[in-house]
Amino acid sequence: MRSGRYELIDNLPISHDLNIIYFYLLIIDIIFTNISWKGEKMSKYIAPTYFSEAFNCPRCDVLAPQKWYVVTRGVEGELMIESAEERALTGRAIAFLGNKQHKHREAWELDLTICDYCSKYTIWENRKVIFPYKIFDLPDAHVDMPEDVKQIYTEARLIYKHSPRASAALLRLAIETLIPQLNDYSIKKDTLNKMISELVKKDIPEHIQQGFDLIRVYGNEGIHPGQIVIEETQDMVIYLFNLTNDIVEELIARKQKINEAYSSLPKGKLEEIIRRNVRAKQSN
């Protein structure tokens, strides 16, 4: 073994690239645990995004700077962990992990981030977090969301970690399923764009139209990538979950809550209100 802080480990059997990498990450965990990092807790949440300089750490949940490391294969087939910064400047590896030659290359990209606050590592494979496995803090479906819409929403929530693009596409399907069920507007099933157009004709509030179009456009990009790179706008996809709930709150739940409270008024008061409204309409 070579002396120094980072050592070349020879003659270790490697059956699968990722298995050996995960084993050596235990060693790296010990190394970096002893390094002092300065961090600061912040209230704003920023989802982990590939090669971002700072985000909420999946290990400690603190918004903190992250240092990036790239797992590469050397000229002799050895696996190496390099500082992304030093690699860009000098190309010099700072860690070596085994040197067994492989007969073929696997189609993977592996990166590590070390949190500036907790000093723990996060593993990225093909630009997505694979360790620690974490269910993102996405909102549950609104309690007044129609059941068939809720099922689609829940599926979008469960799949977000693995594919924000698929989540965006499913949220688009959720609102496409929701619109024909809005009793106040009586919209017939059609393409989503045409249904939103019909809602505009029926004077739906502009901010609700904008919300529908946000989900429509991002959902379309999830299916047919174009001008928007979903992987680079994950914060927006997270917002779409809240937006879907907000739309249900405004178009369904709020009316139900007011109606329930209104119907609890004494019968005499309700009759007075009805007579007043009749007189007001007749005066017009």
Side-chain angles (χ1 to χ4, degrees):
M1 300 180 72
R2 186 182 304 177
S3 62
R5 182 177 182 86
Y6 302 99
E7 299 178 333
L8 175 64
I9 303 175
D10 299 321
N11 302 321
L12 287 177
I14 303 177
S15 57
H16 295 89
D17 288 341
L18 296 184
N19 286 340
I20 196 68
I21 291 169
Y22 293 157
F23 173 77
Y24 287 125
L25 288 176
L26 297 176
I27 300 174
I28 296 169
D29 194 34
I30 296 172
I31 293 173
F32 281 101
T33 298
N34 295 323
I35 299 177
S36 176
W37 300 86
K38 294 181 180 180
E40 182 178 355
K41 291 189 176 181
M42 305 176 188
S43 57
K44 182 180 178 182
Y45 179 80
I46 298 179
T49 306
Y50 186 71
F51 242 76
S52 294
E53 293 183 355
F55 49 76
N56 282 74
C57 172
R59 303 293 292 273
C60 67
D61 260 346
V62 172
L63 176 56
Q66 307 288 324
K67 188 162 185 178
W68 284 87
Y69 296 86
V70 182
V71 178
T72 61
R73 193 190 297 269
V75 293
E76 297 181 0
E78 72 275 17
L79 297 176
M80 303 182 295
I81 293 181
E82 303 173 298
S83 162
E85 181 180 8
E86 288 199 12
R87 186 186 183 204
L89 293 174
T90 67
R92 181 169 59 85
I94 66 166
F96 298 82
L97 301 179
N99 69 341
K100 184 166 182 175
Q101 183 69 41
H102 291 264
K103 295 181 180 179
H104 63 278
R105 295 180 65 88
E106 298 291 343
W108 51 257
E109 297 178 13
L110 206 62
D111 302 275
L112 306 177
T113 46
I114 305 295
C115 176
D116 196 34
Y117 185 79
C118 69
S119 300
K120 293 183 178 179
Y121 63 81
T122 296
I123 308 173
W124 300 68
E125 182 181 355
N126 297 330
R127 305 191 174 197
K128 297 177 183 177
V129 175
I130 61 170
F131 179 83
Y133 183 85
K134 180 178 179 180
I135 298 177
F136 284 81
D137 189 19
L138 298 170
D140 291 330
H142 196 292
V143 293
D144 292 317
M145 188 178 289
E147 194 58 37
D148 53 350
V149 180
K150 187 179 296 185
Q151 290 177 2
I152 300 169
Y153 178 98
T154 301
E155 185 178 352
R157 185 173 180 268
L158 292 174
I159 205 172
Y160 172 80
K161 171 181 171 52
H162 303 287
S163 177
R165 290 179 58 218
S167 281
L170 284 168
L171 289 176
R172 180 194 182 283
L173 177 60
I175 65 163
E176 186 175 340
T177 305
L178 173 68
I179 290 176
Q181 300 184 55
L182 299 174
N183 295 329
D184 290 345
Y185 295 94
S186 301
I187 303 297
K188 293 182 179 180
K189 181 72 174 176
D190 206 327
T191 66
L192 181 54
N193 195 41
K194 288 182 179 179
M195 288 192 292
I196 295 174
S197 177
E198 289 300 313
L199 288 171
V200 172
K201 292 179 183 178
K202 297 188 177 185
D203 295 324
I204 196 166
E206 184 179 11
H207 66 285
I208 298 297
Q209 166 261 305
Q210 292 172 349
F212 278 133
D213 277 319
L214 265 173
I215 299 171
R216 178 183 65 83
V217 170
Y218 275 89
N220 286 345
E221 293 293 326
I223 301 170
H224 306 292
Q227 297 179 349
I228 301 173
V229 181
I230 295 292
E231 288 77 10
E232 296 178 0
T233 56
Q234 292 187 30
D235 285 351
M236 177 58 75
V237 178
I238 292 174
Y239 170 69
L240 297 183
F241 284 92
N242 290 296
L243 178 58
T244 303
N245 278 334
D246 289 343
I247 289 173
V248 172
E249 172 66 26
E250 182 145 351
L251 297 184
I252 298 177
R254 185 170 298 169
K255 179 180 178 180
Q256 289 179 355
K257 292 174 184 176
I258 293 175
N259 284 344
E260 290 173 3
Y262 180 77
S263 62
S264 67
L265 289 173
K267 183 178 179 180
K269 296 296 182 181
L270 290 172
E271 291 173 349
E272 289 178 9
I273 294 171
I274 292 172
R275 288 194 293 270
R276 180 206 63 195
N277 292 345
V278 170
R279 289 195 300 270
K281 290 179 181 179
Q282 290 174 345
S283 65
N284 290 334

